Amino acid sequence: MRSPVRVRLAPSPTGYLHLGNAWTFLWCVLAARTQGGAVLLRIEDVDTARSRPHFADAIQEDLAWLGLAWDEGPYFQSPRVPRYTEILHALMARGHAYPCFCSRKDLQGLASAPHGGLPAYPGICRHLDDATRARKAQEKSPAIRLILPESACTFEDLVQGAFRASAAACGGDFAVRRGDGLFAYQLAVAVDDMDQKITLVVRGADLLDSTPRQQALFQYLGAPPPCWAHVPLLLDPSGERLAKRHQSLSVRALRAAGIAPQAIVGFLAWLGGLIPTPQPLCVEALAPAFSWQRLPHTPVHLPAHTPALLAKLS
Ligand code: GLU
């Protein structure tokens, strides 16, 4: 891994922070702290329709309350649209990206990739000639797709191990800008990771399949890719992914219920196998115990008595 280590906390301001976010962010901060690295805070508000400033404020408050401190930022994505546009134009000029006029309907019924992978885009618009592109552009504002090369579909993950797939199994060419002009998460996140010189990306395992797409962007832009650590998802006791609707497991609600921040940190560290029994601890105290090897590879279930356990530790 390149040093000094630079990691980022990259919440989307579309809801309050929940235990699942705190779990991922804890590993991210610990990975930096154990190596004397820096933590950046990036508010991923590129999807302006879903982002809300009050969630950005609340997330910062909740992170600080938990003791998950950052050294730089917050940086926001929304003012960086001119940068994303510049990169998009460069990718198109070099032939790595092309306009795609396919509608959702055109793409319906495409066979899914084997093993439940994403249905691959079959490249319908990749080889249109200029005249056809110009004619179609009169009728419809196209999405822009990036060509996904096979070389981007292999990487070593610090938690999940070797990832090897074909470009088709990874969904094929993918949208970097939607027809309505909104930049896709894939482009914004890779350009930010590149410009902000991130050396290690720590995030939930649900984003493992996004990595080939982001690696493709690094390859085309000639930038060294970061290392990736995809941490297992934290599931509710019934096995469902934690989401915004789990109000009672939001950091805000736990705080309002009188739970101490060290109780949450120590509880998560115990779930992740860093300490043998749950006990209240601050982030700094956990740094010596941290190692990627300790973290499970498969999803982790919250115990049914989570709120009671947290109350006991507070
Ligand atoms: N903003 C994304 C999310 O909240 C995380 C993106 C990333 O870590 O790459 O799910």
Side-chain angles (χ1 to χ4, degrees), residues 8 10-12 44 185 189 203 207:
R8 78 311 194 270
S12 300
E44 298 212 320
Y185 150 73
V189 85
R203 60 185 175 197
L207 289 170

Side-chain angles (χ1 to χ4, degrees), residues 8-14 21 24-25 42-44 77 185 189 193 201-204 206-207 210 214 230 241 244:
R8 78 311 194 270
L9 302 172
S12 300
T14 54
N21 307 121
T24 306
F25 293 161
R42 181 197 305 148
I43 304 289
E44 298 212 320
Q77 290 185 320
Y185 150 73
V189 85
D193 284 341
V201 167
V202 180
R203 60 185 175 197
D206 53 331
L207 289 170
S210 285
Q214 293 165 24
H230 288 89
R241 261 186 71 170
K244 312 265 141 80

Side-chain angles (χ1 to χ4, degrees), residues 149-170:
E150 297 294 338
S151 59
C153 301
T154 297
F155 64 94
E156 288 299 319
D157 189 88
L158 290 176
V159 181
Q160 307 292 332
F163 181 102
R164 313 235 177 287
S166 65
C170 296

Side-chain angles (χ1 to χ4, degrees), residues 79-92:
R80 285 176 49 77
V81 166
R83 173 68 174 149
Y84 305 148
T85 307
E86 173 193 330
I87 295 280
L88 185 77
H89 289 158
L91 291 166
M92 291 183 80

